[in-house]
Amino acid sequence: MRKINTIGVLTSGGDAPGMNAAIRAIVLTAQHHGISVTGFKRGFNGLLNGEHFQLTECYVRDIIHHGGTVLKSARCQAFTTEQGQLQASEVLNRLAIDCLIVIGGDGSLRGAELLADYWSGQIIGLPGTIDNDVAGADKTIGFATAVNTAVEAIDKIRDTADAFERTFLVEVMGRESGYIAMSVAIACAAEQVLTFESRQLPSQQLASIVNHITNAQKSRGNSSYIMVIAENLWPTGTIELAKELTKQSNIECQPCILGHIQRGGRPVFEDRILATKLGVAAVEASVDGAHLVMLGEVNQSITATPLSKLALEHKTIDTFLFNAQQQIFEYHDFHD
Ligand code: F6P
């Protein structure tokens, strides 16, 4: 096993609250082992362009409570090409990096794996994305904060919805995963949730959504009604769905897209702790010779999953969450 002298670290893809906590933990643990840490800026772009700097204890001292990432983040098309990976490997060799730690979502982690064809150093991934859609990790860094932010926003929407007896469709992020939508809907006592995991196709759902809204209003009297919807779910978009529902139900349905507010903000303690554990674990794993793995917390233990498995395994919503949704929403009978 070769001795690690220098670790490189970068954050890639959608930033996630808690990424700073992971960077801090990596730098402080590395310092403990006498290893220096080089930070690459703007994800894989920094690796291609040689945009880097030394991360010191002083630099990371006060970053744990900030959202975003001090390394900045980006998606990098150029890195997906052979030429890009070759260029990245040259930079890593020139800087004598022994191990590269990539913090990002599944796309970024799979990108990291590609580098192994051109570079002989160790590669370790940490799951950082609000979407919670990475296999091999019960929770990704940033998920808890994003859910919390959305819940706080919807609690506020509930106040005004109650006052005006209004129906709202609130769109939350998640790319192609319903984790945020399902968690937020349960935590906000939303009357309905539409996610990729719903049993019916969106087109088949329209009539039943209209029924649900109208029956709810009939049986409960005028009251607020909140439907949480996963982004990218409705083929024509949430705004069009709201228009269609308004037309068919004769009840005004207001769309509200929460958007990037869910990506920012102070990380909640769960993300700070998860990110710290994973940052420490990543440096320890690098000293132990780990290569081409992602470290995630599974059933309260830090587990290494081969990066090659990430593309093959689709993380599905956990059964308890799914069952809760079915019990509370689908079998909650508003019918007269
Ligand atoms: O992957 C994180 C995420 O915030 C997704 O939930 C969302 O679909 C996407 O990134 C948005 O990406 P961008 O900020 O590039 O528009």
Side-chain angles (χ1 to χ4, degrees):
M1 204 184 325
R2 71 172 170 197
K3 185 176 173 327
I4 302 281
N5 293 310
T6 310
I7 285 177
V9 59
L10 61 86
T11 47
S12 166
D15 51 287
M19 281 181 162
N20 283 330
I23 296 167
R24 172 178 175 269
I26 289 167
V27 172
L28 298 185
T29 311
Q31 189 180 50
H32 180 76
H33 287 274
I35 298 169
S36 70
V37 180
T38 299
F40 291 94
K41 295 195 98 172
R42 301 181 181 83
F44 290 104
N45 292 294
L47 213 50
L48 296 187
N49 308 331
E51 260 192 292
H52 59 86
F53 63 105
Q54 192 172 0
L55 281 163
T56 58
E57 188 267 338
C58 177
Y59 194 84
V60 299
R61 196 181 290 147
D62 289 324
I63 63 172
I64 199 168
H65 56 299
H66 291 302
T69 155
V70 291
L71 290 176
K72 310 234 177 269
S73 194
R75 306 187 207 282
C76 179
Q77 194 52 37
F79 183 74
T80 60
T81 64
E82 198 182 327
Q83 167 63 24
Q85 288 142 33
L86 260 172
Q87 205 175 315
S89 77
E90 279 162 20
V91 172
L92 288 165
N93 286 334
R94 180 158 42 81
L95 296 173
I97 304 288
D98 300 298
C99 174
L100 179 68
I101 301 176
V102 174
I103 311 170
D106 61 345
S108 303
L109 300 179
R110 277 189 254 146
E113 192 194 351
L114 299 175
L115 197 53
D117 288 342
Y118 304 93
W119 182 57
S120 62
Q122 291 164 240
I123 299 169
I124 295 177
L126 296 184
T129 165
I130 63 166
D131 300 338
N132 201 28
D133 59 350
V134 183
D138 286 347
K139 300 266 177 345
T140 52
I141 297 166
F143 170 65
T145 305
V147 169
N148 205 50
T149 302
V151 165
E152 281 180 5
I154 296 177
D155 285 350
K156 292 184 174 111
I157 293 170
R158 176 70 81 179
D159 289 344
T160 173
D162 267 341
F164 262 72
E165 298 163 339
R166 263 183 172 153
T167 295
F168 274 89
L169 270 66
V170 185
E171 182 188 289
V172 295
M173 276 188 165
R175 197 178 291 276
E176 307 284 293
S177 161
Y179 247 106
I180 295 181
M182 195 73 83
S183 310
V184 163
I186 290 174
C188 291
E191 277 71 17
Q192 189 55 275
V193 58
L194 291 189
T195 74
F196 298 94
E197 292 75 14
S198 306
R199 282 179 302 182
Q200 290 172 302
L201 292 172
S203 54
Q204 296 171 315
Q205 282 181 317
L206 194 61
S208 66
I209 302 169
V210 172
N211 274 344
H212 202 272
I213 295 173
T214 48
N215 289 332
Q217 295 294 42
K218 239 192 271 168
S219 66
R220 302 188 311 178
N222 287 340
S223 61
S224 60
Y225 182 104
I226 289 183
M227 179 191 302
V228 174
I229 175 166
E231 68 169 350
N232 301 321
L233 177 90
W234 201 260
T236 51
T238 300
I239 294 174
E240 285 307 311
L241 173 63
K243 281 186 196 155
E244 196 53 38
L245 289 175
T246 302
K247 202 160 85 191
Q248 294 204 20
S249 66
N250 220 14
I251 292 169
E252 188 192 2
C253 297
Q254 297 265 352
C256 176
I257 316 263
L258 289 189
H260 286 80
I261 191 172
Q262 295 158 97
R263 283 242 294 262
R266 294 166 74 91
V268 296
F269 84 92
E270 290 96 331
D271 280 327
R272 299 183 196 198
I273 292 174
L274 174 66
T276 300
K277 282 189 198 169
L278 294 179
V280 171
V283 175
E284 286 177 348
S286 78
V287 171
D288 291 344
H291 181 38
L292 286 175
V293 290
M294 183 203 77
L295 302 178
E297 195 170 43
V298 178
N299 291 331
Q300 297 182 328
S301 339
I302 306 295
T303 308
T305 303
L307 292 178
S308 57
K309 277 183 92 179
L310 298 184
L312 307 175
E313 283 183 25
H314 175 66
K315 181 173 173 186
T316 47
I317 284 192
D318 77 64
T319 329
F320 281 119
L321 204 56
F322 192 70
N323 284 345
Q325 185 266 339
Q326 287 199 319
Q327 295 293 327
I328 295 169
F329 303 106
E330 293 190 14
Y331 300 128
H332 188 147
D333 200 5
F334 286 125
H335 299 264
D336 38 22

